Amino acid sequence: MPATLIKGKPIADRIRAEVAEQVREIGHIGLVTVLVGDDPASEVYIRLKHKAAVEAGIDATDLRLSADTSEVELLEKVEELDSDQDVDAILVQLPLPKQIDEARIIRALAPAKDVDGFHPFNAGQLYLGRPTLVPATPLGVMAMLAEHRIDLDGARAVVIGRSDIVGKPMAHLLMQANATVTICHSHTKDLARHTLDADVLVAAVGVPAMVSPDMVKTGSVVVDVGINRTDAGIVGDVDPGAAEIAAYLTPVPGGVGPMTIACLLQNAVRCARYRRGELVYPA
Ligand code: NAP
């Protein structure tokens, strides 16, 4: 029997409706997104995030800076937003132009306004098992698994990819849900040996269809985080043929993508609650 598709949109729609309700309750949530330059993929992401934020009633400001913005100029802008009492949440769209050190900009964000959860303090809290603001994509994956009541306790989970944005936080969340986690990357030898053992397999690589059906364990749960633009349109990191082997599979498009945006909005609510003292941000 082909795999059950874990579609992101219905879950994301529900989360977005919940966020809209919370925004009404809080009254005002200020989100500023900063896009430096005119990278076409980043433009699309910013547009989608904005539309979703506005639909949820979030007061979203779309700040655009030219591609030749210097690191000092961007740092000054971030510091200004950090101390702006109308701003609850700040998102600096990555990648940044070459002349700007991304790590330096992320470190300059006020941690409690870091809606992406990329600041070292927030990453550290996740590492310590006391999550504060967690990157939206892995949060979205966890929500999808929870929706389908996937039992992670004691499950063997394999994450392919170790980026700070997806792979690492994903592995931590799975470990905190009591899965036994293996992280694979471009230096991993005999990748299939690991993936074939995975009850839960998360692919976050950026290589079209690199997970072939013969790398998937029968009856497993396969989460495809990949978004790859090809001549055939947007495809994931998992060959759709995996649906013949797995019990659950997230489709691309329409899987993890919509969840990322919904969970980003949830994070904006969290930022607003931190700033109002309704949630305590660790000192
Ligand atoms: P990234 O920073 O480029 O990281 C890719 C990871 O994959 C790296 O850890 C890399 O290993 C590993 N890798 C590359 N080739 C490999 C191979 N042949 N075998 C095993 N591992 C390999 O990418 P990312 O930001 O994590 O994004 C990953 C994918 O998810 C991309 O397609 C991206 O577009 C997509 N994405 C989707 C969403 C969403 O909302 N659905 C959100 C974010 C990202 P090394 O560390 O050794 O280089």
Side-chain angles (χ1 to χ4, degrees), residues 64-213:
R64 305 281 175 124
L65 300 175
S66 65
D68 61 358
T69 301
S70 71
E71 185 174 293
V72 170
E73 284 168 327
L74 184 56
L75 278 174
E76 282 171 1
K77 182 45 85 180
V78 167
E79 281 158 16
E80 192 187 301
L81 297 171
D82 281 347
S83 49
D84 186 334
Q85 289 306 306
D86 277 338
V87 176
D88 294 288
I90 308 167
L91 182 155
V92 179
Q93 183 67 41
L94 303 180
L96 289 166
K98 288 190 298 295
Q99 72 275 17
I100 300 176
D101 177 356
E102 284 182 358
R104 198 155 173 222
I105 300 300
I106 292 169
R107 277 200 304 276
L109 291 165
K113 293 189 177 187
D114 166 36
V115 70
D116 267 330
F118 296 164
H119 189 282
F121 189 88
N122 291 319
Q125 288 294 121
L126 177 61
Y127 172 96
L128 294 172
R130 300 184 195 96
T132 42
L133 291 159
V134 176
T137 301
L139 272 186
V141 172
M142 294 305 282
M144 295 171 99
L145 298 176
E147 181 81 11
H148 288 262
R149 296 193 169 77
I150 306 298
D151 189 9
L152 294 173
D153 200 314
R156 287 176 200 266
V158 172
V159 179
I160 319 176
R162 57 174 165 179
S163 70
D164 295 342
I165 294 171
V166 189
K168 279 185 205 153
M170 186 75 252
H172 280 283
L173 290 173
L174 289 165
M175 179 173 64
Q176 283 162 29
N178 294 326
T180 301
V181 183
T182 301
I183 305 174
C184 300
H185 45 74
S186 68
H187 295 248
T188 298
K189 291 184 181 131
D190 197 358
L191 182 62
R193 208 190 108 219
H194 297 281
T195 60
L196 278 168
D197 210 21
D199 303 313
V200 177
L201 176 63
V202 180
V205 187
V207 177
M210 66 95 66
V211 175
S212 53

